[in-house]
Amino acid sequence: MKLDPRLNAYRPELAAAELRGKVEAARFVEGKTYEVVHSQTPLRHAPRHDAPLNSEALYGEHVTVYDIDDEGWAWGQLERDRYVGYLPAAALVRPGAATTHKVTALRTHAFPGPDIKLPPFVALPFGARVPIAREERSFAVTVAGRYLPPSHLAPLAANEPDFVAVAERFLGTPYLWGGKTSLGIDCSGLVQVALQAAGIECPRDSDMQAEMLGASIELSALERGDLAFWKGHVAIGRDPLTLLHANAHHMMVAIDPIDTALERIGKPALVKRL
């Protein structure tokens, strides 16, 4: 059975050492761990700036890198959801201090000092991870000396009580294939980001989510938090009458009456309850 290349790092000329004996490749290598230091960075299907965006890696996320080419593209695998792709090597460094907190605002600013009038270094997205060293003058201060509002952070172990409420905070966010932030997000990215915030691990693509999450139920039994799957699409049950989803019809995260969605998209192939 062929391994899914989205979740297994192998190419004809190179593969992860852990896949030795499972795939054919000219060379097997041990990966090296890197950390994302850009606010968000693209994970592309190929080592080109115009290649399709498969996903995004967020600040503080770890990546196992197997190759960096002469054009500055790193080929690797995200630590959390195991997704494989190409990232700009300039967005990666070897890991520093262990992260302690995550961003819980849709986007927050990291300032160079304890003053909101200072020009921020970077705007960090929801789910970004940071190493907080101390508090100073109503700011949380990272190991690198970046100052963030404590109200926009939570300890890594803290979980949101309602993942649907997390997804609802993204209402109006532009639709972006492969996106995972308030600047742009797709249907499965919205589900993944919201579930991870609630402490529920979730694969990246909708077909993976349909296969790996929950148990099947009838559409007529839909409740808040159930997931409806079509081929290439997923929506979140907001209540028995409405769905929440990032979609290309509205080109944003929107709420749809179920009847309207069924008329436009058709009956879901599968409905799952977590």
Side-chain angles (χ1 to χ4, degrees):
M1 181 176 174
K2 183 179 179 182
L3 296 179
D4 190 336
R6 295 173 296 175
L7 298 176
N8 295 274
Y10 68 94
R11 310 183 315 214
E13 74 279 12
L14 182 67
E18 65 185 37
L19 298 180
R20 192 185 303 272
K22 299 179 181 179
V23 299
E24 293 185 3
R27 186 164 59 98
F28 292 85
V29 299
E30 297 284 350
K32 294 181 179 180
T33 302
Y34 285 78
E35 185 173 292
V36 177
V37 290
H38 287 184
S39 174
Q40 64 207 71
T41 194
L43 183 80
R44 297 198 180 276
H45 185 70
R48 306 189 316 271
H49 290 289
D50 62 349
L53 179 67
N54 283 351
S55 189
E56 291 180 308
L58 308 183
Y59 186 95
E61 190 165 0
H62 282 186
V63 185
T64 302
V65 173
Y66 298 99
D67 181 49
I68 298 178
D69 67 19
D70 293 338
E71 301 299 318
W73 287 98
W75 180 62
Q77 186 168 29
L78 303 185
E79 183 179 275
R80 187 163 192 186
D81 66 12
R82 306 287 293 169
Y83 214 95
V84 175
Y86 294 87
L87 308 92
L92 307 175
V93 299
R94 296 306 296 272
T99 56
T100 60
H101 288 69
K102 57 188 175 182
V103 175
T104 55
L106 288 185
R107 197 158 287 268
T108 192
H109 293 295
F111 298 94
D115 186 344
I116 60 172
K117 296 179 182 178
L118 295 173
F121 276 114
V122 66
L124 299 178
F126 184 93
R129 298 182 168 206
V130 292
I132 298 301
R134 66 185 192 278
E135 290 193 10
E136 180 183 327
R137 292 174 57 183
S138 300
F139 285 88
V141 187
T142 70
V143 172
R146 308 294 188 252
Y147 290 71
L148 294 95
S151 60
H152 290 179
L153 302 174
L156 288 181
N159 293 324
E160 296 279 353
D162 180 0
F163 88 90
V164 183
V166 176
E168 288 172 330
R169 290 162 62 185
F170 284 84
L171 277 169
T173 295
Y175 180 83
L176 175 66
W177 180 277
K180 286 179 57 173
T181 78
S182 61
L183 295 181
I185 201 165
D186 66 12
C187 64
S188 56
L190 179 67
V191 170
Q192 185 186 55
V193 166
L195 283 177
Q196 287 180 341
I200 302 170
E201 289 307 318
C202 176
R204 178 60 179 89
D205 292 343
S206 62
D207 64 321
M208 300 175 187
Q209 294 169 356
E211 178 181 353
M212 300 178 191
L213 297 177
S216 295
I217 62 167
E218 295 297 323
L219 177 62
S220 59
L222 184 88
E223 296 178 355
R224 183 177 179 86
D226 295 336
L227 301 176
F229 293 94
W230 294 260
K231 184 178 180 180
H233 187 60
V234 59
I236 302 168
R238 185 169 172 265
D239 55 45
L241 298 177
T242 60
L243 298 171
L244 174 70
H245 54 158
N247 65 90
H249 175 77
H250 295 97
M251 284 306 295
M252 64 180 178
V253 177
I255 295 171
D256 259 330
I258 288 179
D259 291 345
T260 302
L262 294 181
E263 182 178 345
R264 187 175 71 248
I265 313 172
K267 184 178 180 180
L270 194 63
V271 180
K272 304 290 285 286
R273 177 161 296 164
L274 301 177

